[in-house]
Amino acid sequence: MPTGSGAWHPSERELARRAERRRLRVRRTGTAGLSTVLVFALLGLALVLSPGWERVQGTFFSWSAARDSFPLVLEAFWLNVRIFLVAEPAILVLALLVAIMRGTRSAWLAPARIVAVAFTDVMRGIPTLLLVVLLGFGVPALELQGVTNDRLVWATVALILSYSAYVAEVFRAGIESIHPSQLASARALGLGPVRTLRHVVVPQAVRRVVPPLLNDFISLQKDTALVSLVGVYDGVFAARDYASYNFNYTSLVVVALFFIVLTVPLARFTDWLQRRVAERERAGVL
Amino acid sequence: MLRRSAVVPALASLPLLLGAVACAPADEEPTATDPGASASPDEDAADVDPAGCVTDDMLLEDGTLTVGTDSPAYEPWFADNDPTNGEGYESAVAYAVAERLGFSEDEVTWVRVPFNTSYAPGAKDFDFDINQISITPKRAEVVDFSQGYYQAAQAVVALEGTAGAEATSLEDLADLRLGAQTGTTSLTAIRDVIQPEVDPAVFEDTNSAKQALANDQVDAVLADLPTAFYISAVEIPGSTIVGQFQPESGEQEEFGMLFEKGNPLVTCVDAALAAMEADGELADIEQEWLSDVVGVPELQ
């Protein structure tokens, strides 16, 4: 049905092109789907047909053990979540402080720079695992007046110190990535060093380092399991305890799923955050 | 182009996957004969002659008995953290069993087996593991145990002059901060028998438990009686054994050697243990290494 000469409609050739594209797309999707199903089916088959599968299923994927250990692990895992929620803000503050101290230029602040460098070197140099044991058992052994000997508190402090050292370096990288022209502009506007830092440098730096920050925090979430070294009964320890007592590793799979459930939404959220920032910064360019 | 680019990788991964199936270890003989092997050893043990029992195909390595235990190896079960010296109760038992099975001392090798890997599925890197492992029905679903070679009581260790040392009954213990090692029957005894008001502290190993006790982070720790003796006598100055109790009423808790499920060697080891029990060697070894266990008050 031909329309008026003014209205555009695709030519025969264009329609043919579209049909061809659609055909290719369907075929591509079909092939991708088929190959995916094939590969995963074969992988599953390889797993299930392997001679040890029955034993692996019994010791790693036992439904009854999963049901048994679930409430124990869930209850103990709540502790991991709380440790994480306390440690994360503390780490952000401490790390930013260390990064800023390290970035100072004033001659008077040389001691601050030395402290910042020493802190990062020492805390990052000691394996987190050792730090947890050293603080968890070492500080209470000092028998200081008025200082708690709660293992949970000291283990959490150890995590905060260790991770602050890593995160401080991430912040430093972000701060150093801010172009000197930004500093010059801030100066030109009459901002002092503190206000330059506060309004120009830090906000941009933080935005740039969100992905590595998230990386460190996911890492931290998992390292909350280290508190078990001083006898704090977290989710991973509950799972291991169940496993060792019953000779069945299923509880470890259960707690692994807990961690995945916790980290995946966080990762998607950061992706979304990043995309939003990128879109805003690119506005009008792309 | 499209066909090739999409299909070729999928095809390429085929042999890889099939290879993975093909390379997987073949099903071992013992697994097939499993039910028979694990059901009968107790009755058969007396009829089997331990000396002629072991054949090379039962062993990890021909002509060698490979025995596993955790590291560090604690007193009084081992001496000087060295299982090869034949000193300490479990080391002595292992060498005595080996001798009954016809292995000389230098035909016994030791491997280090962390407790939480001893029950991993698949082939073990030891013929048997001896590491104060309590025999429980759930555990016996995954591994095979020899008959018990020691009957363990639970004991409570506390620092002298603290609230823990004052306890005279299980009820007294319920008000305290208690600790024990992960995965142990001691921990289960706290949870099931004592049921304290504060959740028990769970430790990686007895070393951490001892540290926490010394730091006043717990009031008392539980361990099997011989371990408790060693802790109180040697490791923590000023500590004392408050008392002992049997966690499972009626049924005595026993330590057994741990074998891969279906390992036919269990029958031979059981025969050796039965013979050692019959002629008093096991009692002698116990007398030599664990003789202190008398005179500890029973907690009710």
Side-chain angles (χ1 to χ4, degrees):
Chain A
M1 38 177 193
T3 48
S5 55
W8 176 86
H9 64 93
S11 68
E12 290 293 312
R13 195 174 289 263
E14 170 63 13
L15 286 175
R17 264 196 218 109
R18 286 184 189 176
E20 174 66 7
R21 275 195 213 108
R22 196 176 314 119
R23 200 179 60 80
L24 287 175
R25 196 165 56 234
V26 167
R27 202 157 111 180
R28 203 160 48 219
T29 316
T31 314
L34 193 73
S35 71
T36 308
V37 168
L38 200 70
V39 167
F40 282 98
L42 279 169
L43 273 175
L45 213 62
L47 191 68
V48 174
L49 288 184
S50 56
W53 168 241
E54 213 171 298
R55 220 163 5 166
V56 167
Q57 188 184 27
T59 41
F60 283 89
F61 303 103
S62 149
W63 178 242
S64 64
R67 218 174 27 212
D68 267 9
S69 58
F70 186 88
L72 303 171
V73 173
L74 178 66
E75 195 193 330
F77 187 75
W78 173 229
L79 183 66
N80 293 68
V81 175
R82 279 179 295 166
I83 293 174
F84 175 69
L85 289 178
V86 169
E88 183 173 321
I91 290 167
L92 282 174
V93 172
L94 184 59
L96 190 58
L97 198 72
V98 171
I100 289 171
M101 272 162 70
R102 195 166 177 169
T104 53
R105 293 280 171 271
S106 155
W108 284 104
L109 290 175
R113 282 195 289 280
I114 290 169
V115 168
V117 172
F119 176 83
T120 336
D121 285 355
V122 172
M123 292 305 166
R124 217 168 34 151
I126 303 174
T128 315
L129 174 147
L130 287 187
L131 209 58
V132 169
V133 178
L134 287 175
L135 290 191
F137 285 142
V139 178
L142 295 174
E143 296 181 24
L144 299 173
Q145 285 293 314
V147 172
T148 176
N149 67 359
D150 191 322
R151 302 182 306 274
L152 173 59
V153 170
W154 288 112
T156 309
V157 168
L159 288 178
I160 291 172
L161 292 179
S162 184
Y163 271 86
S164 293
Y166 288 105
V167 172
E169 288 298 276
V170 170
F171 276 137
R172 186 162 75 103
I175 289 171
E176 285 179 359
S177 77
I178 303 303
H179 199 271
S181 66
Q182 294 281 321
L183 301 180
S185 316
R187 272 306 153 82
L189 289 172
L191 296 180
V194 174
R195 294 176 70 193
T196 304
L197 210 57
R198 197 178 131 205
H199 296 293
V200 179
V201 177
V202 170
Q204 293 189 78
V206 169
R207 235 176 301 164
R208 279 187 194 175
V209 296
V210 166
L213 275 185
L214 178 80
N215 219 21
D216 278 337
F217 283 133
I218 288 178
S219 193
L220 170 70
Q221 279 181 15
K222 290 178 295 186
D223 273 355
T224 53
L226 291 177
V227 299
S228 68
L229 288 164
V230 291
V232 174
Y233 200 64
D234 77 318
V236 176
F237 207 11
R240 285 172 53 203
D241 191 44
Y242 181 91
S244 284
Y245 189 73
N246 295 297
F247 281 20
N248 192 308
Y249 292 107
T250 306
S251 50
L252 302 185
V253 176
V254 170
V255 79
L257 292 176
F258 274 117
F259 277 103
I260 292 175
V261 166
L262 193 68
T263 50
V264 168
L266 194 60
R268 291 295 85 80
F269 171 71
T270 325
D271 287 349
W272 173 82
L273 210 67
Q274 277 299 108
R275 212 168 35 241
R276 213 185 53 160
V277 169
E279 274 163 17
R280 203 167 51 195
E281 286 187 348
R282 272 194 221 123
V285 180
L286 281 170
Chain B
M1 271 321 278
L2 181 80
R3 277 180 70 90
R4 259 184 62 197
S5 63
V7 174
V8 166
L11 286 177
S13 53
L14 255 172
L16 201 99
L17 289 165
L18 295 176
V21 179
C23 291
D27 209 345
E28 296 125 38
E29 195 63 18
T31 319
T33 59
D34 185 24
S38 56
S40 54
D42 277 329
E43 300 104 75
D44 292 350
D47 308 332
V48 178
D49 171 26
C53 177
V54 182
T55 54
D56 272 346
D57 59 318
M58 293 180 190
L59 298 170
L60 199 66
E61 224 174 293
D62 289 358
T64 306
L65 190 65
T66 312
V67 186
T69 197
D70 204 350
S71 177
Y74 289 101
E75 314 253 3
W77 309 105
F78 297 91
D80 308 323
N81 190 18
D82 175 16
T84 65
N85 57 17
E87 293 176 29
Y89 181 74
E90 288 187 331
S91 181
V93 167
Y95 278 105
V97 165
E99 197 189 329
R100 302 257 172 174
L101 296 176
F103 293 93
S104 66
E105 247 174 66
D106 53 7
E107 284 168 337
V108 179
T109 55
W110 290 82
V111 290
R112 183 160 55 176
V113 184
F115 179 71
N116 57 5
T117 62
S118 63
Y119 54 93
K124 311 277 189 213
D125 49 9
F126 51 80
D127 289 318
F128 66 78
D129 184 24
I130 181 166
N131 181 26
Q132 305 121 63
I133 304 172
S134 302
I135 304 169
T136 70
K138 267 201 175 167
R139 291 176 173 182
E141 288 171 13
V142 182
V143 295
D144 277 345
F145 286 108
S146 71
Q147 65 176 67
Y149 59 86
Y150 179 74
Q151 301 188 326
Q154 295 300 325
V156 184
V157 178
L159 294 184
E160 280 167 13
T162 64
E166 305 291 309
T168 54
S169 68
L170 293 178
E171 220 165 278
D172 292 348
L173 293 174
D175 302 329
L176 304 174
R177 297 168 298 163
L178 302 175
Q181 191 186 345
T182 174
T184 59
T185 41
S186 305
L187 184 58
T188 307
I190 299 180
R191 287 178 175 145
D192 293 353
V193 180
I194 303 175
Q195 302 179 342
E197 280 164 28
V198 194
D199 279 342
V202 183
F203 296 103
E204 205 78 16
D205 48 35
T206 41
N207 265 335
S208 324
K210 287 176 293 199
Q211 192 59 53
L213 188 66
N215 277 349
D216 187 30
Q217 292 169 317
V218 292
D219 293 316
V221 292
L222 272 78
D224 51 74
L225 188 51
T227 302
F229 259 106
Y230 187 71
I231 294 175
S232 67
V234 181
E235 296 191 308
I236 308 183
S239 69
T240 176
I241 297 185
V242 178
Q244 58 164 317
F245 66 99
Q246 276 297 336
E248 280 156 306
S249 53
E251 216 166 287
Q252 185 102 12
E253 185 180 358
E254 289 192 301
F255 292 167
M257 292 153 187
L258 180 153
F259 294 76
E260 182 179 349
K261 192 81 184 153
N263 189 338
L265 191 63
V266 183
T267 322
C268 306
V269 169
D270 275 347
L273 283 170
M276 285 162 63
E277 209 170 329
D279 65 15
E281 187 179 5
L282 200 59
D284 289 345
I285 297 175
E286 189 173 326
Q287 179 65 32
E288 183 176 359
W289 299 106
L290 308 175
S291 58
D292 292 332
V293 289
V294 284
V296 174
E298 293 268 348
L299 297 173
Q300 299 289 335

